[in-house]
Amino acid sequence: MKVWFTGTGAGRPNKHRNVTGAALQLPEPHCAWWLFDAGEATQHQLMKLPLKLSKLEKIFITHLHGDHLYGLPGLLSTRSFDGGVSRLDLYGPIGLKKYIETIFQLTGTTLDYELVIHELAENASDEVVYNGPGFKVEAKPLLHRVSCFGYRITESDAPGRLLTDKLQQLGIEAGPLYGRLKRGETVTLADGRVVTPASVTDGIVPGRIVTVLGDTSPCANALLLARGADLLIHEATFAAGMEAKAHEFGHSTTSEAALAAREAGAKRLLMTHFSGRYSNEELVNLEGEARMVFPNSAAALDLGCYEILRKVSGEERGCPE
């Protein structure tokens, strides 16, 4: 599982970085990817990454500010020209459906695939917005100037390594049954014996948890969404010491993002949504501020790729160029 950033800037594009967007590349056998926010020029950035629009399965919008949304209509339209024919699900705050339908009506845009828009209410009792094969996605409202959501993606647990010696003792030869047991399926042998994955594996490999927050000042829901996450993606619009200005506009500082990661028990923090006042050279200083609070912190970079390892004991690392 990997995360690619199409933009890490706040407000508007600048010479240092594009506006917000992050793509979650799902592990095999899913062969798909999900997009979180689509600021202006997101599809231009995607052309530089090994991600095909035809494989885009879901888009999650955190809120309706332009730096998280203006790239969406063009991207949806281009998907039709890029071989996209499968259904695409779009999630976001109330008003997202009207926004898309109005633009498409005024521009005469039609799609070659089914677009299903799911609008999220801040007071909804059900926080699970998707629960399907391999993954569950939960959403909670955050503290911003407009309706804004954070998302928690939880991967299903998987059976551990197959114990081949035990399989051979049971008379099970390498083949299709191995694959079924590895996928967590219980199998029945020709002689009627039932073999469960738990009886022939070395335990359970916990699924990974990725939390993607929209713009927010510190709040309880951010901590709930980030609880025990393998990776927390948190905005850090301003440097430490600028809390008053950050909160005035519904944002956080580097130290506040790091504190959220520490209090939530997250394993790694990637900061994003940096103000245009900071050059890329200054990101080192912003990282340093965060690491004083939470050592495993880093500033995400445009077009940067970060791998989330499945094993709890593993360390995340950037994927090779």
Side-chain angles (χ1 to χ4, degrees):
M1 187 187 296
K2 300 173 183 176
V3 173
W4 303 78
F5 285 88
T6 59
T8 58
R12 62 186 184 275
N14 59 58
K15 63 181 180 180
H16 308 300
R17 58 189 73 91
N18 193 44
V19 282
T20 301
L24 179 64
Q25 187 175 4
L26 304 182
E28 295 182 355
H30 300 281
C31 300
W33 60 281
W34 297 350
L35 181 65
F36 293 83
D37 283 336
E40 180 182 345
T42 291
Q43 65 172 313
H44 292 254
Q45 294 288 79
L46 287 171
M47 293 177 189
K48 305 170 187 176
L49 301 179
L51 300 172
K52 296 182 178 179
L53 280 180
S54 59
K55 299 295 184 181
L56 175 58
E57 187 178 82
K58 299 182 185 300
I59 301 176
F60 299 87
I61 299 298
T62 61
H63 63 295
L64 303 185
H65 277 159
D67 57 330
H68 297 253
L69 186 68
Y70 284 165
L72 182 58
L75 185 150
L76 293 175
S77 178
T78 297
R79 187 174 185 266
S80 285
F81 296 95
D82 201 31
V85 295
S86 58
R87 165 174 162 164
L88 177 65
D89 287 274
L90 174 61
Y91 302 81
I94 293 173
L96 181 59
K97 183 178 178 68
K98 181 179 180 181
Y99 172 76
I100 294 299
E101 289 181 344
T102 300
I103 290 179
F104 282 5
Q105 180 184 9
L106 292 174
T107 59
T109 300
T110 59
L111 304 178
D112 294 333
Y113 56 88
E114 180 185 8
L115 176 65
V116 181
I117 301 177
H118 309 264
E119 291 193 321
L120 312 179
E122 287 198 348
N123 59 353
S125 58
D126 188 3
E127 297 168 343
V128 178
V129 298
Y130 172 74
N131 196 356
F135 295 91
K136 178 178 71 173
V137 181
E138 301 164 84
K140 289 181 182 290
L142 301 173
L143 184 58
H144 194 46
R145 291 177 293 158
V146 299
S147 178
C148 185
F149 290 88
Y151 297 98
R152 177 183 175 92
I153 306 94
T154 303
E155 182 184 31
S156 301
D157 295 341
R161 180 177 55 87
L162 287 176
L163 303 175
T164 54
D165 290 346
K166 199 164 188 178
L167 288 165
Q168 291 171 1
Q169 291 173 8
L170 294 171
I172 304 175
E173 299 296 331
L177 292 183
Y178 274 39
R180 291 178 58 188
L181 289 164
K182 184 64 178 175
R183 290 192 297 271
E185 300 176 23
T186 297
V187 302
T188 302
L189 305 182
D191 59 8
R193 286 179 296 161
V194 176
V195 180
T196 64
S199 66
V200 291
T201 60
D202 62 356
I204 298 295
V205 179
R208 289 158 286 194
I209 299 173
V210 179
T211 298
V212 183
L213 301 183
D215 293 1
T216 188
S217 292
C219 64
N221 279 349
L223 298 181
L224 291 174
L225 289 169
R227 185 180 64 255
D230 293 276
L231 175 63
L232 168 60
I233 299 174
H234 196 303
E235 71 125 286
T237 308
F238 295 104
M242 299 187 67
E243 285 74 19
K245 185 175 183 63
H247 298 173
E248 179 184 357
F249 296 99
H251 293 301
S252 298
T253 65
T254 53
S255 58
E256 289 176 327
L259 183 61
R262 189 179 74 187
E263 291 186 351
K267 296 180 178 63
R268 184 174 188 180
L269 168 66
L270 285 177
M271 298 179 293
T272 185
H273 201 266
F274 302 109
S275 167
R277 68 178 62 200
Y278 306 113
S279 67
N280 281 347
E281 290 71 26
E282 292 175 286
L283 293 183
V284 174
N285 297 330
L286 299 182
E287 285 182 333
E289 294 173 352
R291 288 172 180 169
M292 291 179 65
V293 179
F294 184 74
N296 201 8
S297 300
L301 299 175
D302 279 30
L303 306 180
C305 173
Y306 305 86
E307 186 173 359
I308 308 111
L309 299 181
R310 182 153 191 145
K311 288 191 176 297
V312 175
S313 60
E315 294 182 358
E316 292 172 328
R317 61 181 184 275
C319 51
E321 298 179 359

